[in-house]
Amino acid sequence: MEYKDISIKLIVTGTAEFKTITPASGVHTGKPTKIITFRAFKPNYLKKDDGTWQRQESTFYSVRYYDATERMAGLIKDGLTLFVVGTTYDRPYTGKDESEHIEHVLNAEKLMVPLEQEELKDLVFEKKEAKKSKK
């Protein structure tokens, strides 16, 4: 399996799932780990000779974000655009119809929400109060 670093703009499709798993390999081996999983796609376009753009088949990813919180999973909605930084690899599998397929897996290190999305209706941030030091 070849792992590649990636920084990509994706559109979430469906609902994010929050669960606890115990990985059998990797940096989290044997430790209960909270994870968010969701599907997302990158629309692909081809610029034609006349300068117009033609939509091509999208690339779909199975995104995994480790050390997550349930609150984070609730923020990831169908249609939300995210910038995702992480590592990707392709996992071959056999479908129910016995045909061979490739799953694009993206282990996310960072999930970022572009604020210019028209559909983004609210953003609430509450700064933590600084702890006062004892003298």
Side-chain angles (χ1 to χ4, degrees):
M1 224 179 298
E2 181 182 343
Y3 292 85
K4 294 184 263 183
D5 290 336
I6 190 170
S7 178
I8 191 168
K9 183 178 177 181
L10 298 174
I11 301 170
V12 175
T13 181
T15 304
E17 181 181 2
F18 175 78
K19 59 186 172 183
T20 300
I21 62 169
T22 304
S25 63
V27 296
H28 300 280
T29 301
K31 301 176 200 167
T33 304
K34 294 176 179 9
I35 182 175
I36 296 170
T37 59
F38 60 93
R39 298 272 297 156
F41 68 95
K42 178 187 179 298
N44 294 313
Y45 295 90
L46 174 67
K47 188 171 185 178
K48 298 181 351 184
D49 292 337
D50 65 3
T52 61
W53 293 89
Q54 179 180 7
R55 184 145 185 191
Q56 303 290 298
E57 187 173 324
S58 297
T59 304
F60 284 83
Y61 292 87
S62 295
V63 182
R64 300 172 182 165
Y65 183 80
Y66 294 87
D67 296 327
T69 65
E70 193 165 2
R71 182 186 64 79
M72 288 172 63
L75 298 172
I76 299 172
K77 307 283 187 192
D78 185 47
L80 178 70
T81 297
L82 291 173
F83 284 116
V84 183
V85 176
T87 304
T88 187
Y89 64 93
D90 292 339
R91 185 184 73 81
Y93 69 95
T94 304
K96 292 178 183 176
D97 61 355
E98 300 300 318
S99 61
E100 297 298 316
H101 300 277
I102 299 289
E103 175 185 29
H104 304 294
V105 179
L106 199 163
N107 290 330
E109 296 169 15
K110 293 181 184 178
L111 301 175
M112 296 167 278
V113 179
L115 298 178
E116 69 273 3
Q117 296 179 67
E118 286 183 33
E119 300 83 2
L120 191 60
K121 298 297 179 199
D122 195 9
L123 180 68
V124 177
F125 174 79
E126 294 179 8
K127 185 175 179 180
K128 289 183 180 180
E129 290 295 321
K131 292 183 181 181
K132 294 181 181 180
S133 61
K134 295 180 183 178
K135 291 186 180 188

